[in-house]
Amino acid sequence: MIIEVLFPEVCNLYGDLGNIEYISRSLEASGETCEVINTDLYTRPAFADRDDIDLIYMGPVTEKGQVRVIESLKPYKDRLMQMIEGGQRFFMTGNAMEVFGKYIECEEGGPRIECLGIFPFMTKQRMMNRTSSFWVGQYGETDVVGYKSQFTHIYPEDTGSFKSLFKTEKGEGINPGFKDEGIREAGFAGTYLLGPLFVLNPVLMKEYLAEMGYKDIKPLYEETAVEAYNKRLAEYREPGRSYKY
Amino acid sequence: MKGLRFCLALWLAKLSIPALKLTKHNATDYPGHLAIKICPDFLDKIDKPELVIAVTGTNGKTTCTNMICDAFEAAGRKVLCNRYGSNINSGVSTCLISGSTLTGKCKYDTAILETDERSAPRIYPYLKPDYIVVTNLFRDSIMRNAHPEYIQWIINKGVPENSKLVINGDDLISCGIAPGNKHIYYGIGQIASDTTEEVNRLVDLRVCPECGRKLVFDYRRYHHIGRAHCPECGFKSPDYDYEGHDIDKAAGTVQVTDKEGTRAYKIANDSLFNIYNTVMTVALMRDLGFSADEVQSLMDKVKIPATRFSRVAAGPCTVTTQLAKEMNALAVTRATDYIRHQEGHKRLFLLLSCYKVAKNWSENMGWLYDCDFEMMNDPLIDTSVVTGPRALDFKLRLLLAGVPEEKILCIEDEREAARQMDIAPGDSIYIYCGMVEGFGVVDDCRKIITERCEALGGKEQA
Ligand SMILES: [Zn+2]
């Protein structure tokens, strides 16, 4: 497998690069090879010239870093659109997906940051209003757990046609008024869930890799990972537990 | 005139202190909270000492506040300090209330106040500190602190234009605080263990704050601490006003050079983190006009508070309690780096499951993947005990860090884990404790472990 990690020098908050480490080490332990290409800000991404990248990954970033990510990706907007239409796999965590929307509104009526404009949603950023919660829901039939901690929420232009990545069982969706979590457009997936998500959800990782053609990959230290996952699932489902904190 | 509302707030707050103490409630926060409720601009109105020093930053605030306080007390000043109290606006107000007379006059000449970095906009504009000391800025609790760029932004919202900043010049994130204010830079010059490579997982600054291109580190101490420059736009680390160098661990000293010359000062503890704190204290005292001779003798009386790091001999073993803020990858990494370089075999007991909050929710454990648990994969670390509600998360992380499964003891019940861990004569046991005040569990586990060590009989071999 070949994974291109976009801008790991800034898109690395909340331990989320643990996702890539867990995927690549699990693949290798299962006898597959995994090449990770790290692409820096303001440099030419590998995806611009190659068609053999299995997964493009980007993690959570600071607000200043997010502006630099947009600047770095803008020259490749057409290529990104063409790849998304062609079914290229992307996985975005935290606020990374926001750069693919139309714009970020920094405060009520305040300045706007123009984004790539690939998907019809906008983002509201409220720096004095950080929200944190935990979340439980499903990817298809598979139970998923994760944390959320953010200053921002995305708002689709047309909620009716918006495709979510996960169904919410308990927790907040992509914004306080929208039930489900994440975005899925063909091979493009984005979610606010942190964890790192694939470490917290070995079952999800297995399923996601299988969708990409890597069947029967055993998550590293699967027994402990699944035990931790089951414990967390049970805790989050406890009736008395509120999900917001 | 301060007004009736202010007087009422002060008196009621003052009255509440003995009542809270009598009923064994924490009296370090509520009186200030009450005063602000009655008089919202209370912190602005209350009389302050002649010299006000605020201490903030991600790690080491409490240690630094204590060290500065020790130095001032040794200098014979009447110091008001929240060293045992809360560091948010209500805590700072409580501290000032306790230092004022019934007529609102301040009884002290100096205030040294630890201030929570996120509370800066609610404290600094009213406290108007003469000096703001910044220890460092790193990632901290994901929920509360987001990332250091956010903390830098929030501190900037509160810094008054006349406050001088005492800043770690080796931390380019702190250096970005209040760029228009007077900065006094301290730091530690290049040492043998510095590298140019990235050796830690957690590096909060990899790109130039000005242009976003990759920074080049001339040398790196740990994480983003070191000296760097940007080949693209010329941005670089500032020159030091106070430079620590020639650390002599055997003599327990660090040399500090300032514009008047070089002098050796006693260090309170030989971890680099604490040597920074020593250099910071020297820089502050010297900038305030104390002579090098005076500061040299004051530094002899400066100590690291025992709640941060305490070691007791127990039978043929030693038991060390190491405060390592949970949810804070930096604190746990630095503690482990220090411990692994100590001589002899060690066993680690990790009490880092965020007990304060675990009952209601689960703190984001993503920090485990920013923390260098790989350092626990060390031939001289014989056991790592993971326990508490998040024990399995720690176990998985240790396995991924390469720690052999047979060296990990995973038992959810903390006291049971303390009873079951392997202990042998000559062991150095380190209890990583994520919280300052007890919650019973730290004291209980330490007691169980200490008694088990003592039961082994014999004296510790030095
Ligand atoms: Zn630059």
Side-chain angles (χ1 to χ4, degrees):
Chain A
M1 181 180 290
I2 302 172
I3 304 174
E4 179 167 19
V5 179
L6 294 178
F7 322 125
E9 77 274 39
V10 290
C11 299
N12 61 33
L13 295 178
Y14 318 134
D16 250 33
L17 288 177
N19 278 323
I20 296 308
E21 198 179 339
Y22 198 50
I23 289 175
S24 66
R25 287 180 59 189
S26 295
L27 282 164
E28 280 164 4
S30 297
E32 298 286 345
T33 59
C34 184
E35 184 195 347
V36 176
I37 303 164
N38 290 315
T39 296
D40 290 346
L41 289 170
Y42 307 111
T43 63
R44 189 171 174 82
F47 70 68
D49 308 303
R50 292 171 66 157
D51 290 312
D52 59 347
I53 294 164
D54 297 277
L55 176 65
I56 297 171
Y57 177 88
M58 187 155 69
V61 59
T62 67
E63 292 62 43
K64 210 166 154 185
Q66 198 177 35
V67 172
R68 289 172 174 156
V69 165
I70 297 165
E71 285 170 2
S72 299
L73 287 179
K74 263 206 176 136
Y76 308 100
K77 180 182 166 178
D78 292 344
R79 170 69 178 151
L80 285 164
M81 286 178 75
Q82 175 210 341
M83 284 195 302
I84 290 166
E85 276 160 23
Q88 168 70 46
R89 293 242 170 206
F90 288 78
F91 206 95
M92 306 283 127
T93 64
N95 59 358
M97 63 182 157
E98 293 166 1
V99 306
F100 290 83
K102 288 198 163 167
Y103 62 92
I104 300 167
E105 177 197 88
C106 292
E107 290 299 331
E108 212 93 52
R112 261 184 184 212
I113 297 163
E114 295 302 325
C115 299
L116 296 173
I118 293 176
F119 297 122
F121 65 78
M122 58 81 74
T123 302
K124 288 186 186 176
Q125 181 191 90
R126 300 287 178 267
M127 292 304 288
M128 296 310 280
N129 187 19
R130 186 160 182 80
T131 59
S132 293
S133 59
F134 59 78
W135 185 96
V136 55
Q138 285 78 36
Y139 177 72
E141 299 292 304
T142 303
D143 288 329
V144 176
V145 288
Y147 316 105
K148 291 185 166 205
S149 226
Q150 56 205 81
F151 294 115
T152 49
H153 290 102
I154 61 170
Y155 289 80
E157 273 179 0
D158 174 12
T159 50
S161 63
F162 186 82
K163 293 189 201 98
S164 299
L165 179 63
F166 300 126
K167 271 207 173 56
T168 301
E169 178 184 320
K170 187 174 181 178
E172 188 183 272
I174 47 168
N175 66 55
F178 194 94
K179 190 167 182 350
D180 288 331
E181 168 51 37
I183 172 172
R184 175 113 203 207
E185 271 298 336
F188 184 97
T191 176
Y192 281 122
L193 294 185
L194 310 171
L197 183 67
F198 290 119
V199 181
L200 251 49
N201 294 278
V203 181
L204 172 73
M205 182 178 83
K206 212 168 167 169
E207 194 174 328
Y208 189 69
L209 292 176
E211 276 179 21
M212 294 174 71
Y214 292 85
K215 310 267 182 215
D216 300 319
I217 300 298
K218 192 175 143 60
L220 207 52
Y221 304 108
E222 186 174 19
E223 201 184 313
T224 305
V226 169
E227 207 186 332
Y229 159 74
N230 284 329
K231 181 172 160 47
R232 185 170 279 109
L233 258 181
E235 278 177 9
Y236 286 10
R237 282 177 165 152
E238 280 169 13
R241 240 173 221 263
S242 151
Y243 58 83
K244 261 195 139 164
Y245 51 86
Chain B
M1 264 310 279
K2 292 186 194 267
L4 198 62
R5 191 183 274 265
F6 171 82
C7 294
L8 186 70
L10 177 69
W11 294 335
L12 285 177
K14 269 193 155 313
L15 272 173
S16 74
I17 298 175
L20 288 164
K21 283 186 179 156
L22 210 64
T23 53
K24 295 210 160 108
H25 285 86
N26 183 359
T28 71
D29 194 68
Y30 181 77
H33 176 79
L34 177 70
I36 293 169
K37 223 173 165 184
I38 299 169
C39 176
D41 56 353
F42 183 82
L43 191 53
D44 191 30
K45 286 194 161 169
I46 191 167
D47 212 24
K48 283 126 200 139
E50 216 177 284
L51 176 65
V52 177
I53 297 163
V55 181
T56 195
T58 309
N59 292 80
K61 289 188 284 292
T62 306
T63 304
C64 282
T65 304
N66 279 279
M67 289 172 73
I68 298 168
C69 188
D70 284 353
F72 272 93
E73 283 178 348
R77 297 283 191 106
K78 280 193 82 180
V79 184
L80 184 62
C81 179
N82 59 346
R83 65 161 92 196
Y84 304 110
S86 146
N87 63 6
I88 59 175
N89 57 341
S90 46
V92 167
S93 301
T94 302
C95 187
L96 292 167
I97 290 164
S98 71
S100 92
T101 64
L102 276 174
T103 58
K105 277 256 169 298
C106 185
K107 296 183 278 185
Y108 294 82
D109 54 52
T110 306
I112 296 158
L113 297 164
E114 174 182 330
T115 53
D116 171 59
E117 53 278 31
R118 287 171 315 130
S119 303
R122 287 191 296 275
I123 299 177
Y124 294 162
Y126 317 107
L127 187 67
K128 297 184 187 71
D130 300 288
Y131 284 85
I132 299 172
V133 175
V134 185
T135 56
N136 48 58
L137 291 181
F138 286 98
R139 261 168 232 207
D140 197 346
S141 155
I142 295 168
M143 174 187 77
R144 291 193 308 269
N145 292 48
H147 50 75
E149 216 173 270
Y150 164 68
I151 298 298
Q152 188 197 61
W153 173 78
I154 207 156
I155 294 176
N156 278 346
K157 285 169 80 86
V159 176
E161 58 180 347
N162 291 325
S163 296
K164 270 192 190 182
L165 282 103
V166 180
I167 286 189
N168 183 344
D170 295 336
D171 170 10
L172 279 174
I173 303 179
S174 295
C175 290
I177 295 175
N181 285 52
K182 167 87 177 138
H183 281 193
I184 294 144
Y185 292 111
Y186 67 92
I188 300 174
Q190 193 164 12
I191 54 180
S193 54
D194 290 343
T195 73
T196 49
E197 306 301 312
E198 252 184 42
V199 288
N200 298 107
R201 297 169 76 90
L202 171 62
V203 179
D204 279 312
L205 188 71
R206 290 188 171 96
V207 302
C208 172
E210 299 293 329
C211 75
R213 268 64 177 190
K214 271 248 174 99
L215 281 173
V216 174
F217 273 80
D218 310 317
Y219 55 86
R220 187 192 296 272
R221 191 136 305 140
Y222 38 65
H223 311 273
H224 69 274
I225 301 297
R227 291 186 76 75
H229 69 272
C230 173
E232 191 75 22
C233 75
F235 172 88
K236 64 179 179 60
S237 298
D239 293 333
Y240 302 122
D241 298 298
Y242 297 89
E243 180 186 355
H245 56 91
D246 291 298
I247 298 160
D248 184 342
K249 289 193 178 179
T253 58
V254 59
Q255 309 260 352
V256 178
T257 297
D258 57 36
K259 59 183 188 301
E260 287 175 12
T262 299
R263 188 64 72 108
Y265 298 92
K266 184 175 162 264
I267 54 179
N269 170 288
D270 66 0
S271 74
L272 260 177
F273 226 79
N274 282 316
I275 299 172
Y276 268 110
N277 296 338
T278 296
V279 179
M280 175 276 301
T281 309
V282 170
L284 174 70
M285 302 303 282
R286 292 283 290 123
D287 197 77
L288 275 160
F290 287 87
S291 72
D293 280 344
E294 283 170 312
V295 178
Q296 198 175 30
S297 88
L298 296 175
M299 292 310 289
D300 286 342
K301 296 172 185 94
V302 169
K303 289 187 195 70
I304 302 285
T307 50
R308 307 275 121 182
F309 182 91
S310 70
R311 177 172 291 159
V312 294
C317 309
T318 59
V319 179
T320 305
T321 309
Q322 167 80 54
L323 184 87
K325 237 197 312 180
E326 57 210 347
M327 308 175 247
N328 184 306
L330 187 273
V332 176
T333 299
R334 295 311 340 133
T336 307
D337 198 27
Y338 180 75
I339 290 166
R340 72 173 169 152
H341 286 114
Q342 302 300 301
E343 275 178 27
H345 285 256
K346 300 116 191 164
R347 298 185 200 271
L348 313 180
F349 192 88
L350 309 186
L351 281 174
L352 300 169
S353 276
C354 312
Y355 295 92
K356 225 174 184 172
V357 291
K359 277 204 181 86
N360 305 313
W361 45 269
S362 156
E363 166 67 270
N364 190 322
M365 297 303 282
W367 69 273
L368 298 191
Y369 293 84
D370 281 333
C371 181
D372 291 309
F373 281 94
E374 284 69 15
M375 290 177 180
M376 292 187 188
N377 180 17
D378 185 291
L380 290 177
I381 297 177
D382 298 331
T383 311
S384 294
V385 181
V386 291
T387 181
R390 301 269 65 89
L392 285 164
D393 293 337
F394 283 95
K395 182 180 176 186
L396 178 61
R397 180 67 188 91
L398 286 174
L399 289 168
L400 288 169
V403 178
E405 191 155 7
E406 59 274 18
K407 284 188 167 190
I408 304 170
L409 176 67
C410 176
I411 297 176
E412 191 174 331
D413 184 282
E414 299 85 356
R415 293 159 185 88
E416 192 52 34
R419 283 189 279 270
Q420 289 200 23
M421 78 180 286
D422 285 335
I423 294 178
D427 277 350
S428 298
I429 298 158
Y430 289 86
I431 301 172
Y432 283 60
C433 126
M435 54 265 167
V436 191
E437 65 260 43
F439 294 100
V441 66
V442 177
D443 296 335
D444 286 359
C445 291
R446 181 170 39 211
K447 189 163 175 268
I448 294 166
I449 291 168
T450 308
E451 284 173 0
R452 288 187 58 208
C453 292
E454 282 163 352
L456 294 171
K459 282 263 177 289
E460 190 205 349
Q461 289 139 22

